[in-house]
Amino acid sequence: MSEGDDMEREAEADGVEVVEVVEEDRTYPSTIGGALYIVMLGVITVGLLVVVLGPWRTGIRIFAGALVVGAGLRVALKDRDAGMLAVRSRPVDVGLYLTVATTLVVLSTVIPDQPV
């Protein structure tokens, strides 16, 4: 007899119902949202590199574009497929992505050029 069988018998003797948990096979891809999140982070990284090495306004707009795509993916993907794109509820996630993207574009547009 194994230790697990002894524990099960003790639980039943104490009047505790023992429930066996059966793990079901997944019938959906569980990494599509994670993969798209990694791609989104890659584009954001490219945008930050452009900010550091090139025209900063273009880099900020690349960053904002990645956030807009992330918002679109969050709307399009089901909750179980969204992976790391789904942190909060769908409306909150989409609203925050779009708010940050809009703010970045507006700020990059209205900040005047500074003399070097």
Side-chain angles (χ1 to χ4, degrees):
M1 298 233 162
S2 71
E3 188 176 319
D5 291 337
D6 291 338
M7 290 174 60
E8 187 175 321
R9 253 192 244 105
E10 287 177 18
E12 289 174 353
D14 291 339
V16 177
E17 182 180 349
V18 177
V19 177
E20 185 176 334
V21 177
V22 178
E23 193 170 314
E24 295 182 24
D25 291 335
R26 291 187 174 182
T27 58
Y28 59 90
S30 62
T31 59
I32 186 72
L36 294 172
Y37 180 74
I38 297 293
V39 170
M40 190 176 112
L41 287 180
V43 173
I44 288 172
T45 302
V46 168
L48 291 175
L49 285 173
V50 171
V51 167
V52 172
L53 302 173
W56 67 272
R57 293 177 200 273
T58 304
I60 293 295
R61 290 182 180 131
I62 291 171
F63 190 120
L67 292 176
V68 170
V69 169
L73 290 171
R74 181 66 176 103
V75 168
L77 294 173
K78 296 178 182 175
D79 285 338
R80 68 180 187 190
D81 293 334
M84 297 287 290
L85 294 171
V87 178
R88 295 154 293 270
S89 68
R90 182 176 288 157
V92 172
D93 282 338
V94 171
L96 287 174
Y97 282 137
L98 293 177
T99 300
V100 172
T102 303
T103 303
L104 287 172
V105 169
V106 168
L107 286 174
S108 71
T109 303
V110 301
I111 294 175
D113 287 329
Q114 300 295 317
V116 179

